[in-house]
Amino acid sequence: MPLTGLRIVDLTRVISGPFCTMLLADLGADVIKIEPPEGDPLRTQGSGRNGLSWYYASFNRNKRSVVLDLKTEEGKRGLEKLLADADAVIDNFRPGVMQRLGFGEERLQQIRPGIITCSITGFGADGPYRDRPAFDFIAQAMSGFMSVNGGKDDPPQRSGLPISDLVCGIYGALGLCAALLGRERNGGAERVDVSLTNSMVSLLAYTASHYFATGEVLPRTGNDHPIASPYGLFRTRDGQIAIAPSDNVFFGRLMDALDLPKVKNDPDFADNFRRVEHRGRLRELVEEKLSERDSTDWIERLNAAGVPCGPIYDLKGVFSDPQIASQKMAIDVPTAAHDTVRMLGFPIKLKERACQVRRPPPQLGEHTVELLNPGAELRKHAARS
């Protein structure tokens, strides 16, 4: 696996950090999850079975758990021991917490010269908001992300998923991999800083480019695309389908598949700018035709014609879909203490060094003795035999 041989000390908890380190662990890194005596708060949240939170499990496979109370000298000595042969350390504390614990940047480099450090925060390592607390909802609100969701007259709308945590976790993993590669090629340490809010701002895409170019804020358009038409959800005879013909080529294919040559050649729809301007009339014409058949029929016809089109699934639909099943995006992970846990699969598909579950989600402190006192672990195994 690509990251086999790398050891990462993981001081994160809840979602953003554990998601980051799980991605690295899935790619082969040895991730040592440091938990306080009470454990990661996620252990007590969400649905689960037999005392195991499946929410916690879904972010913590392929890791080893060590319990350390970093408020004590013993706990700090344990962390120092683990850092001494680590390639990287990741935290999602507020700025300054690592320094107060006695593990600021200078101290970390003394313990392990060249160690890569990665910090995940709400707003970044500096700036007027660096010390503010932040969770996903705050990042969604302050990044502008919520402002672009919903219909024209609707209030701003959050994503139903903790998207800033997840995107920030991905950026953290990407930044850490880049820093590790840079160290290998050029030597020297590196510090990676990623934040929930910056991560969400980076996703503003065409809404930001439109604002930069014109000074105007695009209005909310619900499921319609603000700068493309027709693009969104459309009514059929028995429901709705998602259609996304994003340029003239796909628009032509859609019109041919719907047998609407007059609409295809209408000057009001000659290019995307005019289609956006006349989106209301275009939607009426498209839905009038779609009302002649059921959704499943149109999905087959439009895809066969090369038009991006699909159903709108709930989670039951997602995990019943044959494509999702073929991609193994739901996997069953056996655990010694809790039977089998079902969790999401690997989105990164590597042909030669594929991601795999090497370790189930760890029990709290399961590997403390193994990693901090290996001699005692060996003696314990000897006594059992």
Side-chain angles (χ1 to χ4, degrees):
M1 302 175 73
L3 301 185
T4 297
L6 292 171
R7 173 168 287 190
I8 296 170
V9 173
D10 176 11
L11 292 166
T12 69
R13 68 274 188 227
V14 191
I15 301 176
S16 59
F19 184 56
C20 170
T21 54
M22 186 190 75
L23 295 174
L24 298 167
D26 287 350
L27 291 166
D30 177 19
V31 173
I32 302 173
K33 182 178 179 67
I34 309 300
E35 300 189 67
E38 65 274 17
D40 186 325
L42 219 60
R43 287 185 180 273
T44 61
Q45 296 182 18
S47 300
R49 298 180 187 175
N50 300 322
L52 175 67
S53 163
W54 284 27
Y55 190 21
Y56 167 84
S58 68
F59 289 105
N60 288 283
R61 66 191 176 209
N62 284 330
K63 303 178 187 179
R64 296 193 279 177
S65 172
V66 170
V67 167
L68 292 175
D69 185 351
L70 297 181
K71 297 176 183 178
T72 68
E73 290 305 313
E74 182 182 5
K76 292 177 182 180
R77 286 194 298 270
L79 177 57
E80 186 171 329
K81 182 176 181 179
L82 295 172
L83 289 168
D85 63 353
D87 293 282
V89 57
I90 304 179
D91 76 271
N92 61 350
F93 300 130
R94 287 196 215 178
V97 170
M98 287 290 285
Q99 184 75 38
R100 291 195 295 273
L101 288 171
F103 294 95
E105 196 72 23
E106 184 177 343
R107 178 63 181 139
L108 288 170
Q109 294 303 325
Q110 290 173 349
I111 297 170
R112 177 65 163 168
I115 194 170
I116 304 297
T117 60
C118 177
S119 290
I120 297 173
T121 60
F123 295 100
D126 50 35
Y129 301 158
R130 71 184 294 271
D131 294 321
R132 287 189 180 184
F135 286 103
D136 169 70
F137 188 69
I138 306 304
Q140 289 198 40
M142 293 185 66
S143 65
F145 181 82
M146 284 174 59
S147 75
V148 303
N149 296 324
K152 180 180 179 181
D153 299 319
D154 294 337
Q157 182 67 50
R158 68 180 285 267
S159 164
L161 302 172
I163 189 168
S164 72
D165 286 311
L166 301 173
V167 174
C168 190
I170 294 170
Y171 281 151
L174 176 61
L176 190 71
C177 286
L180 289 165
L181 180 60
R183 185 181 67 182
E184 180 180 326
R185 289 180 172 177
N186 306 311
E190 180 61 273
R191 177 175 178 81
V192 179
D193 284 299
V194 292
S195 78
L196 305 185
T197 306
N198 288 348
S199 296
M200 294 308 296
V201 171
S202 77
L203 300 184
L204 292 177
Y206 50 79
T207 64
S209 60
H210 179 85
Y211 173 73
F212 292 151
T214 68
E216 300 173 351
V217 176
L218 284 169
R220 288 191 291 276
T221 54
N223 287 315
D224 286 336
H225 199 297
I227 61 172
S229 179
Y231 194 112
L233 300 184
F234 294 84
R235 288 189 298 271
T236 65
R237 184 164 62 187
D238 66 342
Q240 289 183 308
I241 57 175
I243 305 177
S246 59
D247 59 27
N248 288 340
V249 172
F250 288 110
F251 174 72
R253 291 178 184 175
L254 174 63
M255 294 301 102
D256 291 343
L258 296 178
D259 193 22
L260 292 174
K262 291 184 179 180
V263 177
K264 180 180 180 179
N265 297 315
D266 189 318
D268 282 351
F269 310 135
D271 58 40
N272 186 63
F273 293 106
R274 279 176 276 190
R275 291 195 291 273
V276 170
E277 183 181 355
H278 301 285
R279 76 161 77 235
R281 186 166 76 89
L282 180 54
R283 171 176 285 278
E284 290 178 1
L285 293 168
V286 169
E287 289 191 329
E288 181 181 3
K289 187 68 176 182
L290 290 174
S291 68
E292 297 176 2
R293 298 179 182 274
D294 291 346
S295 296
T296 53
D297 190 358
W298 281 122
I299 288 169
E300 290 184 12
R301 287 170 178 262
L302 296 182
N303 276 288
V307 179
C309 174
I312 304 100
Y313 283 146
D314 61 12
L315 266 64
K316 183 177 180 180
V318 170
F319 295 112
S320 300
D321 187 274
Q323 178 64 27
I324 301 301
S326 74
Q327 291 292 299
K328 297 181 174 59
M329 287 309 298
I331 58 176
D332 292 320
V333 177
T335 71
H338 302 283
D339 302 321
T340 299
V341 176
R342 173 157 286 194
M343 61 180 66
L344 297 174
F346 305 107
I348 300 173
K349 309 296 186 184
L350 299 177
K351 182 178 180 181
E352 302 298 334
R353 300 174 180 85
C355 296
Q356 57 185 275
V357 178
R358 308 182 314 282
R359 298 177 180 275
Q363 299 179 66
L364 179 61
E366 180 180 348
H367 304 95
T368 302
V369 173
E370 171 186 325
L371 287 164
L372 292 181
N373 194 354
E377 181 72 2
L378 291 173
R379 288 193 296 273
K380 184 167 66 174
H381 282 301
R384 287 175 183 166
S385 60

PDB file of all heavy atoms in Angstrom, residues 204-217:
ATOM      1  N   LEU A 204     -16.455  27.290  -3.538  1.00  0.00           N
ATOM      2  CA  LEU A 204     -17.461  28.216  -4.067  1.00  0.00           C
ATOM      3  C   LEU A 204     -17.495  28.254  -5.590  1.00  0.00           C
ATOM      4  O   LEU A 204     -18.443  28.778  -6.177  1.00  0.00           O
ATOM      5  CB  LEU A 204     -17.239  29.619  -3.499  1.00  0.00           C
ATOM      6  CG  LEU A 204     -17.519  29.740  -1.995  1.00  0.00           C
ATOM      7  CD1 LEU A 204     -17.191  31.145  -1.502  1.00  0.00           C
ATOM      8  CD2 LEU A 204     -18.967  29.383  -1.664  1.00  0.00           C
ATOM      9  N   ALA A 205     -16.462  27.758  -6.252  1.00  0.00           N
ATOM     10  CA  ALA A 205     -16.467  27.478  -7.694  1.00  0.00           C
ATOM     11  C   ALA A 205     -17.010  28.642  -8.521  1.00  0.00           C
ATOM     12  O   ALA A 205     -16.572  29.784  -8.377  1.00  0.00           O
ATOM     13  CB  ALA A 205     -17.253  26.186  -7.952  1.00  0.00           C
ATOM     14  N   TYR A 206     -18.009  28.352  -9.387  1.00  0.00           N
ATOM     15  CA  TYR A 206     -18.508  29.367 -10.318  1.00  0.00           C
ATOM     16  C   TYR A 206     -19.223  30.511  -9.614  1.00  0.00           C
ATOM     17  O   TYR A 206     -19.333  31.609 -10.169  1.00  0.00           O
ATOM     18  CB  TYR A 206     -19.432  28.732 -11.362  1.00  0.00           C
ATOM     19  CG  TYR A 206     -20.508  27.865 -10.779  1.00  0.00           C
ATOM     20  CD1 TYR A 206     -21.652  28.407 -10.234  1.00  0.00           C
ATOM     21  CD2 TYR A 206     -20.372  26.477 -10.783  1.00  0.00           C
ATOM     22  CE1 TYR A 206     -22.639  27.610  -9.684  1.00  0.00           C
ATOM     23  CE2 TYR A 206     -21.352  25.670 -10.232  1.00  0.00           C
ATOM     24  CZ  TYR A 206     -22.482  26.246  -9.693  1.00  0.00           C
ATOM     25  OH  TYR A 206     -23.455  25.453  -9.140  1.00  0.00           O
ATOM     26  N   THR A 207     -19.725  30.286  -8.396  1.00  0.00           N
ATOM     27  CA  THR A 207     -20.357  31.400  -7.685  1.00  0.00           C
ATOM     28  C   THR A 207     -19.318  32.460  -7.338  1.00  0.00           C
ATOM     29  O   THR A 207     -19.593  33.662  -7.399  1.00  0.00           O
ATOM     30  CB  THR A 207     -21.063  30.919  -6.404  1.00  0.00           C
ATOM     31  OG1 THR A 207     -20.110  30.398  -5.479  1.00  0.00           O
ATOM     32  CG2 THR A 207     -22.098  29.856  -6.719  1.00  0.00           C
ATOM     33  N   ALA A 208     -18.111  32.019  -6.979  1.00  0.00           N
ATOM     34  CA  ALA A 208     -17.038  32.969  -6.679  1.00  0.00           C
ATOM     35  C   ALA A 208     -16.518  33.629  -7.945  1.00  0.00           C
ATOM     36  O   ALA A 208     -16.300  34.851  -7.972  1.00  0.00           O
ATOM     37  CB  ALA A 208     -15.901  32.264  -5.945  1.00  0.00           C
ATOM     38  N   SER A 209     -16.301  32.852  -9.011  1.00  0.00           N
ATOM     39  CA  SER A 209     -15.763  33.445 -10.238  1.00  0.00           C
ATOM     40  C   SER A 209     -16.741  34.459 -10.818  1.00  0.00           C
ATOM     41  O   SER A 209     -16.321  35.505 -11.345  1.00  0.00           O
ATOM     42  CB  SER A 209     -15.427  32.357 -11.264  1.00  0.00           C
ATOM     43  OG  SER A 209     -16.568  31.610 -11.622  1.00  0.00           O
ATOM     44  N   HIS A 210     -18.051  34.188 -10.712  1.00  0.00           N
ATOM     45  CA  HIS A 210     -19.045  35.157 -11.183  1.00  0.00           C
ATOM     46  C   HIS A 210     -18.967  36.439 -10.349  1.00  0.00           C
ATOM     47  O   HIS A 210     -19.002  37.547 -10.895  1.00  0.00           O
ATOM     48  CB  HIS A 210     -20.447  34.552 -11.089  1.00  0.00           C
ATOM     49  CG  HIS A 210     -21.523  35.481 -11.535  1.00  0.00           C
ATOM     50  ND1 HIS A 210     -21.897  35.608 -12.855  1.00  0.00           N
ATOM     51  CD2 HIS A 210     -22.315  36.354 -10.839  1.00  0.00           C
ATOM     52  CE1 HIS A 210     -22.866  36.509 -12.967  1.00  0.00           C
ATOM     53  NE2 HIS A 210     -23.126  36.978 -11.754  1.00  0.00           N
ATOM     54  N   TYR A 211     -18.827  36.288  -9.042  1.00  0.00           N
ATOM     55  CA  TYR A 211     -18.726  37.458  -8.174  1.00  0.00           C
ATOM     56  C   TYR A 211     -17.450  38.258  -8.470  1.00  0.00           C
ATOM     57  O   TYR A 211     -17.476  39.491  -8.564  1.00  0.00           O
ATOM     58  CB  TYR A 211     -18.757  37.041  -6.707  1.00  0.00           C
ATOM     59  CG  TYR A 211     -18.491  38.185  -5.763  1.00  0.00           C
ATOM     60  CD1 TYR A 211     -19.450  39.172  -5.557  1.00  0.00           C
ATOM     61  CD2 TYR A 211     -17.271  38.294  -5.107  1.00  0.00           C
ATOM     62  CE1 TYR A 211     -19.194  40.243  -4.717  1.00  0.00           C
ATOM     63  CE2 TYR A 211     -17.004  39.353  -4.264  1.00  0.00           C
ATOM     64  CZ  TYR A 211     -17.970  40.327  -4.075  1.00  0.00           C
ATOM     65  OH  TYR A 211     -17.717  41.396  -3.253  1.00  0.00           O
ATOM     66  N   PHE A 212     -16.329  37.559  -8.631  1.00  0.00           N
ATOM     67  CA  PHE A 212     -15.069  38.248  -8.927  1.00  0.00           C
ATOM     68  C   PHE A 212     -15.154  39.006 -10.252  1.00  0.00           C
ATOM     69  O   PHE A 212     -14.610  40.107 -10.387  1.00  0.00           O
ATOM     70  CB  PHE A 212     -13.916  37.248  -8.992  1.00  0.00           C
ATOM     71  CG  PHE A 212     -13.568  36.605  -7.669  1.00  0.00           C
ATOM     72  CD1 PHE A 212     -13.021  35.323  -7.628  1.00  0.00           C
ATOM     73  CD2 PHE A 212     -13.769  37.271  -6.471  1.00  0.00           C
ATOM     74  CE1 PHE A 212     -12.684  34.736  -6.424  1.00  0.00           C
ATOM     75  CE2 PHE A 212     -13.442  36.679  -5.255  1.00  0.00           C
ATOM     76  CZ  PHE A 212     -12.896  35.414  -5.229  1.00  0.00           C
ATOM     77  N   ALA A 213     -15.823  38.407 -11.243  1.00  0.00           N
ATOM     78  CA  ALA A 213     -15.876  39.018 -12.573  1.00  0.00           C
ATOM     79  C   ALA A 213     -16.866  40.176 -12.659  1.00  0.00           C
ATOM     80  O   ALA A 213     -16.642  41.136 -13.407  1.00  0.00           O
ATOM     81  CB  ALA A 213     -16.236  37.960 -13.616  1.00  0.00           C
ATOM     82  N   THR A 214     -17.963  40.097 -11.893  1.00  0.00           N
ATOM     83  CA  THR A 214     -19.041  41.074 -12.074  1.00  0.00           C
ATOM     84  C   THR A 214     -19.345  41.909 -10.836  1.00  0.00           C
ATOM     85  O   THR A 214     -20.006  42.947 -10.938  1.00  0.00           O
ATOM     86  CB  THR A 214     -20.340  40.363 -12.485  1.00  0.00           C
ATOM     87  OG1 THR A 214     -20.814  39.561 -11.382  1.00  0.00           O
ATOM     88  CG2 THR A 214     -20.120  39.468 -13.711  1.00  0.00           C
ATOM     89  N   GLY A 215     -18.915  41.427  -9.663  1.00  0.00           N
ATOM     90  CA  GLY A 215     -19.305  42.099  -8.426  1.00  0.00           C
ATOM     91  C   GLY A 215     -20.712  41.763  -7.990  1.00  0.00           C
ATOM     92  O   GLY A 215     -21.204  42.307  -6.992  1.00  0.00           O
ATOM     93  N   GLU A 216     -21.372  40.859  -8.716  1.00  0.00           N
ATOM     94  CA  GLU A 216     -22.750  40.478  -8.414  1.00  0.00           C
ATOM     95  C   GLU A 216     -22.789  39.129  -7.701  1.00  0.00           C
ATOM     96  O   GLU A 216     -21.978  38.246  -7.985  1.00  0.00           O
ATOM     97  CB  GLU A 216     -23.571  40.377  -9.704  1.00  0.00           C
ATOM     98  CG  GLU A 216     -23.648  41.669 -10.488  1.00  0.00           C
ATOM     99  CD  GLU A 216     -24.332  41.453 -11.840  1.00  0.00           C
ATOM    100  OE1 GLU A 216     -24.579  40.277 -12.198  1.00  0.00           O
ATOM    101  OE2 GLU A 216     -24.583  42.458 -12.525  1.00  0.00           O
ATOM    102  N   VAL A 217     -23.750  38.988  -6.800  1.00  0.00           N
ATOM    103  CA  VAL A 217     -23.980  37.721  -6.117  1.00  0.00           C
ATOM    104  C   VAL A 217     -25.076  36.972  -6.851  1.00  0.00           C
ATOM    105  O   VAL A 217     -26.187  37.495  -7.030  1.00  0.00           O
ATOM    106  CB  VAL A 217     -24.378  37.955  -4.645  1.00  0.00           C
ATOM    107  CG1 VAL A 217     -24.723  36.631  -3.971  1.00  0.00           C
ATOM    108  CG2 VAL A 217     -23.270  38.674  -3.887  1.00  0.00           C
TER     109      VAL A 217
END
